[in-house]
Amino acid sequence: MKYKLLSVALGAAIGFTASAATAGTLDDVKKKGFVQCGVSQGLSGFSNPDAKGNWSGLDVDVCRAVAAAVFGDDKKVKYTPLSAKERFTALQSGEIDILSRNTTWTATRDTALGLNFAGVNYYDGQGFMVRKDLGVSSALELNGASVCTNTGTTTELNVADYFRENKMKYEVIAFEKADEVIQAYDAGRCDVFTTDASGLYAQRLKLQDASKHIVLPEIISKEPLGPVVRQGDDQWFNLVKWTVFAMVNAEEMGVTSANVDSKKAGSPADKRLLGVEGNFGKNLGVGNDWAYNIVKLVGNYAESFNRNVGPDTPLGIARGVNALWSKGGIQYAPPIR
Amino acid sequence: MSSDISDKADDSSKVSIWNDPKARGIFFQVILVAVIAYLVWALVDNTIRNLEARKIASGFGFLDTTASFGINQVLINYTEASSYGAVFIVGLLNTLLVAGVGILFATIIGFSVGIMRLSKNWVVAKIATVYIEVLRNIPLLLQIFFWYFAVLRAVPDKRSKASLFDTFNINVTGIWMPKPLPQDGFNIVVIAVLIGIVLAFIVKKWAKKRQAATGQQFPVIWASLGLIVGLPFVIYLISGSPLEWAYPEFRETGSRLRMGFQLGTGLQIIPEFLALLFALSLYTATFIAEIVRAGILAVSYGQTEAASALGIKNSHTLRLIIIPQAMRVIIPPLTSQYLNLTKNSSLAVAIAYPDLVSVFAGTVLNQTGQAVEIIMMTMGVYLTISIVTSIFMNWYNATMALVER
């Protein structure tokens, strides 16, 4: 691990030199012909490779959508699996173009790390999972528990705050990889496994007997997860931001991958979204059919959600706060006009 | 003619500077140094300018910021309210702890196994061979995972325990034992230990002198043991046993979550530490064993024969004749193994042992994003540890080296 880190650091130094001299990320991406996307090392529903090495998930869909907007081809993406603690260095150094790795938007990360958060593709919160036989029904009963989590995450900080605030003793065991956290929890090293609630549902699938574990009702933090880009490249920032917005807008307008062709002749708003009218794609530095390609190849936000984490998937997560603002949730995108 | 001779005499001063090997040598060295200095300067300057351009925070001010995360093994007083600077100290001490204990264990196991492999007893020699060949050929990271995950599943779970003499307990949360609590007056015992060590040195010198003068031997080892362990023990008893033991609290009733050992009672050795320690010492010991074997084999068999011709006991032959000569061959490669062990301890991050790389170059780096400063500090620490180890081993090597008269 040390060597990997060192190489990232070294890469950082060299990357600064290299990228300082080049043009914007969008031009770089167009030149090299693909989007380099930083993802997790395997989190079901968000970014997970299958047996053939094809990545899928909610976070992966953001990268595919950006590739669709730039190239009209959602397959022009290369993935870099990153651990939680490597991710920001990889982005800062220019190793990747987008970080789409269930990353929480926080003040420090937005202001002190030279990064920009390009929207929120999943509103999450931190939860706890325990064995049913512990007989615990609330996180407030966890005094004296040992807690397994990931290093370099906001969860590590939240759990410290939560136990301190409620004057409970705890022992934290923080692993680098998500898979090792779940293994250690399964081996009984700790009583509690904590991460973002979506991650709990995803990781629960990896347990020997998932039915013996429950997720406690408390959500102890706000974890808005979204794609991240480097600060200081507004063109690329705009493109990623509006890619996320386009997917949400498409859902709101009822544009799906199935009906996108017929919607081209739809309402004025549909026409603007799909590039029949207006110059929105040109302003972003891509083709005017950018949003058409996104919806056609990747789908709208609802399609992406349902395909990867929705009720019909093994994760079975309800829309909840991630529903559209018009349906009781908080997913809201500025209009395209 | 005379002018010819004088011409030849100051030939070197008349040769053009370009053809003077000395001047050329200096010229190229100056260029090399200048190029390296420029590259370093360019790298540093570029990094600083780019950090500023991207508004990435830089400088060492972050060391005073509150860390606000917990660590499961701390050797100093650390809470979530401590600073990142404290995290650095915690990580550093944890690294030194596992490396120090690891070096001690690896040396003991390595020397024993190395000698075992040379044993005339077939079974003993084969056991040593199998141990060495198996463990040194499996990647260290896999061994760390094995010790951690395989052993975690083999020991009793958190709500139960296996005990030895009701004092040493083991379960999935680690080894729990009584924690010594020094009371008032325990300082005397500590002083007694120090005095014992000093006396042991004096006795050793005196015994050597006496043996050189009269040929009489003195049981130095037993005397030293008596002075270092026995003397403080007697003082401990006389001063009224100023040491209390805090036993770990084990609950067998109440809510299931609270059953088992209670955090903060007794002395807990976390399984992450144990797994890392086992893996590092057993792995490095295989290399040390081979180094020891090579060292012993490097001592000519004639030395052994000469010793038996003089009627020296087998054990004395090994301890007084073979090993001291073998040490000269052993120490330099042994130093490399110690350095390897220290550097390999950074694999701790894989199993959540809070060493320097894990908590400082990991968590702190991630929270502050100050990769340049943090990686530099971390590299500086490993460099310092390694250089200090090297200096010590070189000094030790010098004392063991053949003194030529």
Side-chain angles (χ1 to χ4, degrees), chain A residues 33-50:
Chain A
F34 60 87
V35 177
Q36 191 75 43
C37 174
V39 289
S40 75
Q41 290 159 317
L43 179 67
S44 301
F46 288 83
S47 43
N48 205 24
D50 64 13

Side-chain angles (χ1 to χ4, degrees), chain A residues 104-106 123-126 154 158 196 219-224:
Chain A
T104 307
W105 187 349
T106 67
Y123 289 97
D124 212 337
Q126 184 177 341
T154 47
N158 295 334
D196 295 345
I219 295 293
I220 64 165
S221 67
K222 292 189 288 186
E223 309 282 339

Side-chain angles (χ1 to χ4, degrees), chain B residues 3 20 23 25 47 71 110 119 124 191 257 270 289 332 336 355 368 393 396:
Chain B
S3 66
D20 183 1
T47 308
I71 301 178
S119 166
V124 169
I191 293 168
L257 179 76
I270 57 172
S336 310
D355 80 324
T368 60
M393 292 302 283
Y396 185 54

